[in-house]
Amino acid sequence: MAGKSGFMKDAFILFAITLISGIALGGVYEVTKGPIEQATIEANNKTYRGVFPEASSFEETSDIDLEACNTELAASDFGGVGVETVMVAKDDAGSDLGYVINSYSNDSYGGKVSISVGIKDDGSITSIGFREISDTPGLGLKAKEDPFRTQYDGKSASELTVVKGGNAGDAEINAISGATITSNAVTNAVNAALYCKQNFIN
């Protein structure tokens, strides 16, 4: 009987510890959830301002059928790409200037690369910014640096392709030396944003 009583006591203590730990973790989550969400919003807004500096505010729109857009993109030649959200870029007076389209590719060397693409109403790209990339330092991570990243600025083609050799034309992007996979992934994420703008945004 003593053995059974000891077992029950140990089980009760273990249960109590588990319960208290669960409540404590839940409390920590509730306390930190707000600040984490706010930090994410601020980081995203910083990226949006970087890709569309003329805008003073950004509002997410639900008027675009992203499910249909992503279904069509899945059947495209752009690989594992998609669009997550679309932000309307507005000036100080609240007038629309264009869009920031948050797109991604799962085909980068380090896995998923997520970007924000600023696109004016006329379809030209203002700039791109990175929200997530886990590529190799000194190779794929060079995508975040200006010599590569700024190639997209001002491009107005319906689709971009990557070329090697440093002689990119109006609808082309020079590949990062030694990181063609990353170059293609970023460019196809941009192509996903362009496709969304051309086919799902009036």
Side-chain angles (χ1 to χ4, degrees), residues 39-157:
T40 301
I41 290 169
E42 289 173 3
N44 286 342
N45 282 334
K46 183 178 179 181
T47 301
Y48 302 156
R49 286 190 294 271
V51 303
F52 215 126
E54 298 91 340
S56 58
S57 64
F58 305 90
E59 296 179 9
E60 185 173 349
T61 177
S62 58
D63 295 337
I64 298 157
D65 191 346
L66 291 182
E67 184 176 350
C69 177
N70 286 327
T71 297
E72 292 186 16
L73 285 170
S76 73
D77 295 328
F78 302 143
V81 300
V83 173
E84 295 170 328
T85 54
V86 176
M87 315 297 294
V88 180
K90 296 178 176 288
D91 64 15
D92 289 331
S95 299
D96 295 355
L97 296 174
Y99 301 88
V100 174
I101 300 178
N102 294 318
S103 58
Y104 66 88
S105 170
N106 290 319
D107 302 327
S108 193
Y109 187 80
K112 185 177 182 180
V113 56
S114 301
I115 63 172
S116 296
V117 186
I119 305 178
K120 293 182 179 180
D121 282 327
D122 65 5
S124 61
I125 298 171
T126 56
S127 189
I128 72 165
F130 287 81
R131 291 178 295 114
E132 177 185 352
I133 185 170
S134 303
D135 279 52
T136 307
L139 291 172
L141 276 186
K142 286 185 176 180
K144 297 177 70 174
E145 299 175 8
D146 282 355
F148 178 80
R149 187 185 59 80
T150 55
Q151 289 185 83
Y152 299 93
D153 298 4
K155 296 281 188 183
S156 57

Side-chain angles (χ1 to χ4, degrees), residues 77-78 81 105 107-108 113 115 128 130 143 147-149 151-152 155 157-192 194:
D77 295 328
F78 302 143
V81 300
S105 170
D107 302 327
S108 193
V113 56
I115 63 172
I128 72 165
F130 287 81
F148 178 80
R149 187 185 59 80
Q151 289 185 83
Y152 299 93
K155 296 281 188 183
S158 60
E159 180 180 330
L160 300 171
T161 56
V162 173
V163 295
K164 297 179 181 180
N167 296 309
D170 290 340
E172 296 174 329
I173 299 295
N174 289 317
I176 302 166
S177 179
T180 304
I181 292 174
T182 301
S183 304
N184 279 315
V186 174
T187 300
N188 280 329
V190 172
N191 282 333
L194 290 171

